[in-house]
Amino acid sequence: GAVVSQHPSRVICKSGTSVKIECRSLDFQATTMFWYRQFPKQSLMLMATSNEGSKATYEQGVEKDKFLINHASLTLSTLTVTSAHPEDSSFYICSASSWADSRRDSPLHFGNGTRLTVT
Amino acid sequence: QKEVEQNSGPLSVPEGAIASLNCTYSDRVSQSFFWYRQYSGKSPELIMSIYSNGDKEDGRFTAQLNKASQYVSLLIRDSQPSDSATYLCAVNSASSGGSYIPTFGRGTSLIVHP
């Protein structure tokens, strides 16, 4: 159980275009979803936390207008990279929590990640 | 600023040996601790979770937690080349909004050589 599906797994786009990444919880309701970015040989960097039905909370230094996050339902969150540039090329990973009543002991369930290359 | 510290390594051990991975954290009130394994180019996968002081064993893996010392470790017995990966320590802390947000360490690279 607790499967998170992330799509697409790999995308190549031209500079200036927008890319949408989907993250779905397949067999549980994800009250909270996290979006991470990871550059080669670097650690996971939390970009934003999204709760269903409310605005995402962005980490310091992450541009809200560039990385649009929507969490419209308990099973779907999307990250849109707008006006992508080569420096946005990275590995983007979503994760979801099935926390109910703010249980503290639930681990995260990760999607398989999206490798974004901006040319 | 909540911090989770790990030695980046690489930690190199021979096949069959015990690999010991360590992690310290700064938030004294943290209650939930996790170890994830991440292969190159892949997303993390959960290995162990631990919530109480002491040891927790699952197959070849043993997690150890010492809340007084704010220290959590992962032991891998009979290490195999397939265990070669980056191991991420994660600590859950309460956010101002009432939910729990995990903080990840930078990860320790483990290399098991034949």
Side-chain angles (χ1 to χ4, degrees), chain A residues 32 34 36 38 42-44 46 49 91 93 99 102-108 110-113 115, chain B residues 31-32 34 36 38 41-46 49 51 88 92 98-102 104-107:
Chain A
T32 304
F34 301 92
Y36 293 88
Q38 188 175 38
Q42 302 279 321
S43 62
L44 290 173
L46 179 65
T49 303
F91 190 47
I93 312 172
W99 294 331
S102 296
R103 287 184 62 196
R104 61 173 185 259
D105 54 356
S106 299
L108 292 184
F110 285 89
N112 287 332
R115 177 77 57 192
Chain B
Q31 297 291 321
S32 311
F34 309 94
Y36 292 85
Q38 186 178 24
K42 304 293 185 182
S43 61
E45 56 179 328
L46 181 69
S49 56
Y51 313 109
L88 302 170
N92 274 10
S99 60
Y100 289 84
I101 296 179
F104 284 86
R106 296 177 59 86

Side-chain angles (χ1 to χ4, degrees), chain B residues 6-65:
Chain B
Q6 290 182 259
N7 188 320
S8 62
L11 172 66
S12 182
V13 300
E15 183 175 357
I18 296 175
S20 178
L21 305 163
N22 305 314
C23 172
T24 59
Y25 58 95
S26 64
D27 188 0
R28 182 169 291 277
V29 300
S30 295
Q31 297 291 321
S32 311
F33 308 87
F34 309 94
W35 283 99
Y36 292 85
R37 177 176 61 197
Q38 186 178 24
Y39 291 112
S40 180
K42 304 293 185 182
S43 61
E45 56 179 328
L46 181 69
I47 297 295
M48 292 279 290
S49 56
I50 187 166
Y51 313 109
S52 303
N53 278 328
D55 295 359
K56 179 181 178 183
E57 187 175 318
D58 183 1
R60 295 187 296 112
F61 299 97
T62 299
Q64 299 175 318
L65 175 61

Side-chain angles (χ1 to χ4, degrees), chain A residues 27-69:
Chain A
D27 51 2
F28 66 100
Q29 292 185 328
T31 50
T32 304
M33 286 190 173
F34 301 92
W35 286 95
Y36 293 88
R37 180 167 55 180
Q38 188 175 38
F39 294 105
K41 299 190 185 302
Q42 302 279 321
S43 62
L44 290 173
M45 188 192 82
L46 179 65
M47 299 176 68
T49 303
S50 72
N51 292 296
E52 184 266 337
S54 61
K55 289 183 179 180
T57 300
Y58 290 81
E59 295 298 300
Q60 192 172 8
V62 179
E63 299 174 57
K64 302 178 184 181
D65 295 332
K66 181 169 185 62
F67 299 100
L68 302 179
I69 292 173

